[in-house]
Amino acid sequence: MSVRILALVGSLRAGSHNRQLAEAAAKHAPAGAEIELFEGLADVPFYNEDIDVEGSVPAAAARLREAAGGVDAFLLFSPEYNGTMPAVLKNAIDWLSRPYGAGAISGKPVAVVGTAFGQYGGVWAQDDVRKSAGVAGGVVLEDVKLSIPGSVTRFADTHPADDAEVVTALTEVIEKVSSAAAVAA
C-alpha cells in the first residue's frame, strides 16, 4: 500500500517555481509514495468561523478538507513573501486546523520545503509554515528540510524535475515523510 501525501503550494502564480518543485516531487516520488497536488487553493475563502458552519462550509474549503482527510501526510511548498509565508498557505492551514483538535491536519506528519529568489531559499517563510502547521495539530518533521536559493536564476532554463541535485533532495524528503507516515499509521 502506498503512502498518500498531499502537496499544498503556497504560490498561485502560473510559473511558480514552488509549483514546479511540487510537480517534480510528484513525478519523482519513490516507490511506495504517492504525491497528490491539491488544485484550488485560490478558491478557498479566507478562514472565518462564521462561514465554517456544518452544512454550509464553502465548497472549496470542503474539497480541501476532504482531500486532506484522505491522506497520510503533507508536503507544504512555500515561497517567501516579504520575509514570511504566503497568505494562501496560511489560510489552507487555518481551514485544516478546524474543527479544533480534530482538523484534517491533526496528528499527521508535515514537511515543509521550498524555493525562493533570496540567498537562503525562503527559510524564514518555511520556519513560519512549520510553526503554523504545528500549532494547527500537524506533526511537523523538524529535521526534514529543503530550501533552494536563487530560484529565478537556478530554474530560469531548467525545470526542477530535470535538476538531478533537486530530484535527489526531494526524493530524500519524500522518503522521510513516507517513513514518518508509516510509523504514525
Side-chain angles (χ1 to χ4, degrees), residues 25-49:
K27 179 178 179 179
H28 294 289
E34 176 188 336
I35 308 286
E36 175 189 340
L37 228 62
F38 183 79
E39 303 290 350
L41 284 185
D43 301 324
V44 178
F46 278 113
Y47 185 80
N48 176 342
E49 198 169 2

Side-chain angles (χ1 to χ4, degrees), residues 62-90:
R63 280 193 306 278
L64 173 63
R65 284 180 173 165
E66 182 179 339
V71 299
D72 304 301
F74 296 89
L75 188 52
L76 308 182
F77 293 82
S78 184
E80 190 168 84
Y81 292 178
N82 297 312
T84 192
M85 75 173 106
V88 69
L89 192 52
K90 174 66 168 75

Side-chain angles (χ1 to χ4, degrees), residues 96 100 116 119 167 177:
L96 296 177
Y100 180 76
Q119 65 181 340
V167 169
V177 173

Side-chain angles (χ1 to χ4, degrees), residues 19-184:
R19 168 72 184 202
Q20 292 174 2
L21 196 60
E23 291 167 354
K27 179 178 179 179
H28 294 289
E34 176 188 336
I35 308 286
E36 175 189 340
L37 228 62
F38 183 79
E39 303 290 350
L41 284 185
D43 301 324
V44 178
F46 278 113
Y47 185 80
N48 176 342
E49 198 169 2
D50 291 340
I51 63 173
D52 188 8
V53 178
E54 190 173 337
S56 64
V57 171
R63 280 193 306 278
L64 173 63
R65 284 180 173 165
E66 182 179 339
V71 299
D72 304 301
F74 296 89
L75 188 52
L76 308 182
F77 293 82
S78 184
E80 190 168 84
Y81 292 178
N82 297 312
T84 192
M85 75 173 106
V88 69
L89 192 52
K90 174 66 168 75
N91 188 50
I93 292 168
D94 290 344
W95 276 103
L96 296 177
S97 73
R98 301 285 192 237
Y100 180 76
I105 198 170
S106 189
K108 294 181 182 179
V110 178
V112 181
V113 300
T115 186
F117 178 63
Q119 65 181 340
Y120 302 111
V123 294
W124 290 349
Q126 292 172 32
D127 286 344
D128 287 343
V129 174
R130 284 184 195 89
K131 177 182 174 185
S132 184
V135 170
V139 179
V140 177
L141 306 176
E142 294 288 349
D143 62 331
V144 180
K145 297 180 179 179
L146 176 60
S147 302
I148 304 168
S151 61
V152 173
T153 53
R154 180 164 190 161
F155 302 125
D157 298 321
T158 304
H159 191 285
D162 300 323
D163 183 316
E165 182 182 10
V166 169
V167 169
T168 298
L170 273 175
T171 301
E172 290 173 9
V173 164
I174 297 165
E175 287 171 346
K176 289 177 181 177
V177 173
S178 294
S179 294
V183 170

